[in-house]
Amino acid sequence: MAAAAAAAAAALSSPSPLLRPLHASPLPSPSSSFSFSSSLSRPMSVFPSLRRLAVPRLRRSLSSLAVVAAVRQDSITWTQAPLTVVHPAAGDGTLFHVSIDVSDSPDLAGSFTVPGQYLQLRVPEAPKPAFLAIASPPSTASSKGVFEFLIKKVPGSTAELLCEMRSGDVVELSAVMGKGFDVDQFSPPEAVSTVFIFATGSGISPIRSLIESGFSADKRSDVKLFYGARNLQRMAYQDRFRDWESSGVRIVPVLSQPDDKWSGERGYVQAVFSRVKQILNPSFTGAVLCGHNQMMEDVTSALVADGVSKDKILKNF
């Protein structure tokens, strides 16, 4: 029973790495956590007494998982806060800008200190909270009392309900969580002169926080953002590209399904990076990744194979 409770607590302590937006990780499935027959050389039917013993234990263990999950959610401190902005962030209506006023909760606003951190958000009628990365830099929270998010409207999800709400509607927020992007690994700038940044879809959300927080990009010789989306209608923050470029970040948009007018990079981010990368000195190279799992796995493998230290490959989970 203790092992089952520990498994549930571990499953609920970290969200899924697919953070865009981030949803609560499911509890471990019974097939992966409680496999009785795999250790037996003969079918369970040959051991009726063992079957009678195992099945009740399985049921009790699954029941304990549900109890631990409920207790853990109930132990979270929730803060009510009103929405101030809810409007489309891209042309096809799949991404939304959402801003939340946390000025009446200075402790919550002040707890956001590192780009890449996230929180849980609850809305009325939603069966479970969503994990969301904060898109604005920490300075926006401390100076304006606002958290900004980039939300992907997924049918049937908490995110969809959030995107259908209006300014003035109230949501509930958990405490800020996560270590964020540990950019201290990139200090001083001359020690990590090349930084590659990778984002796909709404994974650009915490990357925006990183870029607008500043990490001395203009003091490095080569900083590139490989930003992947299906097409320009699904690419958020295009109005910020000029400011990001002026801060020292060169942007490489990558479209997987562009129209015929597109003359830029096509395909998937990891494929484009493999084709154009020039890692002259891996010991002076760092990377930041957020987005689809396959992209992050492929890019990480490519960087490590070229000699880049795993300590300098940053993710917010």
Side-chain angles (χ1 to χ4, degrees), residues 152-176:
K152 183 177 181 180
K153 188 177 182 181
V154 179
S157 70
T158 300
E160 181 181 42
L161 295 175
L162 176 61
C163 293
E164 293 173 350
M165 297 177 75
R166 299 180 179 181
S167 176
D169 289 344
V170 175
V171 297
E172 292 183 318
L173 306 177
S174 74
V176 175

Side-chain angles (χ1 to χ4, degrees), residues 81-85 98-103 121 145-149 162 171 173:
L83 302 175
T84 57
V85 172
V98 172
S99 295
I100 301 176
D101 182 357
V102 292
S103 59
L121 180 147
V146 172
F147 286 160
E148 297 177 3
F149 302 88
L162 176 61
V171 297
L173 306 177

Side-chain angles (χ1 to χ4, degrees), residues 18 21 26 85 137 145 150 208 239 252 269 280:
L18 293 175
V85 172
L150 178 67
R208 173 201 155 190
D239 58 333
V252 183
V269 163
L280 302 179

Side-chain angles (χ1 to χ4, degrees), residues 48-93:
S49 62
L50 181 58
R51 182 183 180 88
R52 287 194 297 270
L53 177 64
V55 171
R57 285 183 176 176
L58 171 59
R59 289 171 179 164
R60 289 197 298 271
S61 297
L62 290 175
S63 177
S64 71
L65 285 173
V67 170
V68 171
V71 169
R72 185 166 181 90
Q73 280 297 321
D74 290 343
S75 67
I76 295 175
T77 298
W78 297 96
T79 300
Q80 292 189 337
L83 302 175
T84 57
V85 172
V86 182
H87 65 74
D92 68 350

